[in-house]
């Protein structure tokens, strides 16, 4: 049977015309979840991988264009060494173990963040997933790994300055599109919806340029508790939002 994302969306009470094209997620609260279970913090990270799986699969079913997951920030290096080692090992395991599934689901795999600081074996697994899925046409699954938005903007400014110095770019021609095209997210649509789990009302250096007009949705639930039902709640709320982009309401205003 051929899968029809619009029919599936309607079957779960979602209007396919009102789905976000790009969903970005700050997957937070793994450590706090583990504590509620009397477990070590790292067990929360391991359980969080299951939520990644469930949410990715559901975005595929619904025909969402892109899912961008904050996996590891450039500030997360401040964590204790054993936790860092666990996170990197988990990441490598995920990249390897999910490969067959990603291919089966027609997912295009992408990564944003700095390569510097990541180990050669993690980079090799990332590159292999990108290479193998290059021609895929389904969901773009973008992982933010060693990602920080300010660092991304610094890298973009350096790239633009280099093009100016080489005479390839006239400073007068630098516009918003030129900046967008110099970010790690070049060619990707901006997120329409930003989900954050675990209740924190902050963006933690995530996609600062790209979320200018994203709708924000925060749940107190921890990432390991997040799944299909909460994703649907976020998408239902998103469908009810009126996005004005600085203009007036479509119904007119008075
Ligand atoms: C999110 O969970 C995962 C990463 C940042 C890698 P946390 O590890 O931040 O969990 P809390 O916020 O301490 O509960
Ligand atoms: C944001 O969570 C980073 C990721 C989810 C990877 P943090 O737990 O690092 O954010 P803060 O420290 O609460 O702002
Ligand atoms: Mg946290």
């Amino acid at each position: 049977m051929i899968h029809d994302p619009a029919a599936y969306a309607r079957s779960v009470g979602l209007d396919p015309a009102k789905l976000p094209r790009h969903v970005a997620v700050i997957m937070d609260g793994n450590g706090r979840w583990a504590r509620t279970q009397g477990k070590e913090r790292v067990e929360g990270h391991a359980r969080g991988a299951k939520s990644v799986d469930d949410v990715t699969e559901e975005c595929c079913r619904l025909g969402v264009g892109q899912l961008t997951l904050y996996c590891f920030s450039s500030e997360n290096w401040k964590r204790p060494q054993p936790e860092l080692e666990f996170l990197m090992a988990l990441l490598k395991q995920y990249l390897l173990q999910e490969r067959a599934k990603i291919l089966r689901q027609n997912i295009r795999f992408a990564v944003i963040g700095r390569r510097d600081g990541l180990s050669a074996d993690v980079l090799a697994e990332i590159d292999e997933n990108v290479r193998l899925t290059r021609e895929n046409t389904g969901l773009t699954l973008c992982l933010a790994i060693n990602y920080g938005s300010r660092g991304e903007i610094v890298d973009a400014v350096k790239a633009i300055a280099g093009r100016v110095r080489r005479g390839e770019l006239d400073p007068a021609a630098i516009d918003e599109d030129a900046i967008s095209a110099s970010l790690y997210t070049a060619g990707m649509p901006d997120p329409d919806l930003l989900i954050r789990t675990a209740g924190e009302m902050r963006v933690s250096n995530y996609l600062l340029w790209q979320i200018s007009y994203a709708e924000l949705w925060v749940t107190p639930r921890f990432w390991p508790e997040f799944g299909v039902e909460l994703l649907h709640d976020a998408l239902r709320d998103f469908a009810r939002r009126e996005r004005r982009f600085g203009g007036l309401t479509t119904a007119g205003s008075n």
Side-chain angles (χ1 to χ4, degrees), residues 28-243:
D28 199 17
N30 292 350
R32 279 167 279 175
W33 176 82
R35 201 160 54 222
T36 66
Q37 307 295 305
K39 296 182 161 128
E40 297 291 323
R41 285 182 57 79
V42 293
E43 294 195 49
H45 298 315
R47 181 57 185 72
K50 163 93 169 68
S51 302
V52 168
D53 232 35
D54 293 348
V55 169
T56 303
E57 200 171 319
E58 191 62 7
C59 284
C60 287
R61 274 197 219 109
L62 290 166
V64 169
Q66 180 164 340
L67 175 66
T68 300
L69 302 174
Y70 208 178
C71 300
F72 189 85
S73 79
S74 46
E75 287 70 35
N76 287 147
W77 294 111
K78 295 172 191 163
R79 301 207 175 181
Q81 193 60 30
E83 181 167 347
L84 292 175
E85 276 165 25
F86 185 93
L87 280 168
M88 289 303 146
L90 181 66
L91 184 58
K92 194 175 144 191
Q93 184 193 327
Y94 166 85
L95 292 165
L96 251 165
Q97 276 185 359
E98 294 297 295
R99 191 163 289 153
K101 201 162 166 193
I102 284 173
L103 283 164
R104 208 167 47 238
Q105 290 173 321
N106 193 24
I107 288 172
R108 221 178 113 248
F109 187 82
V111 161
I112 52 173
R114 282 196 184 143
R115 293 175 71 88
D116 278 8
L118 295 175
S119 67
D121 52 345
V122 166
L123 288 171
E125 301 305 341
I126 288 174
D127 292 344
E128 184 67 351
N129 281 11
V130 170
R131 188 183 70 77
L132 287 170
T133 64
R134 192 163 284 151
E135 306 296 327
N136 285 355
T137 53
L139 174 77
T140 297
L141 173 62
C142 177
L143 302 189
I145 301 171
N146 194 18
Y147 175 87
S149 192
R150 287 184 165 200
E152 175 184 37
I153 292 169
V154 167
D155 288 349
V157 170
K158 281 183 181 159
I160 289 170
R163 289 176 59 205
V164 168
R165 194 183 51 193
R166 291 190 298 274
E168 297 163 9
L169 180 66
D170 176 357
I174 299 170
D175 56 9
E176 293 188 9
D177 287 343
I179 293 175
S180 292
S182 303
L183 298 170
Y184 307 147
T185 51
M188 297 172 178
D190 286 338
D192 303 294
L193 172 64
L194 173 64
I195 294 173
R196 181 165 188 148
T197 57
E200 250 44 271
M201 295 289 182
R202 55 176 174 255
V203 290
S204 301
N205 205 13
Y206 195 42
L207 302 171
L208 301 180
W209 172 275
Q210 297 89 337
I211 61 167
S212 294
Y213 267 107
E215 296 295 324
L216 310 181
W217 194 86
V218 178
T219 172
R221 304 282 287 279
F222 302 130
W223 178 249
E225 303 173 298
F226 196 89
V228 171
E229 294 307 316
L230 282 171
L231 177 68
H232 289 176
D233 287 350
L235 295 173
R236 249 186 299 279
D237 268 7
F238 174 82
R240 283 195 292 263
R241 302 278 179 94
E242 190 196 357
R243 303 183 78 192

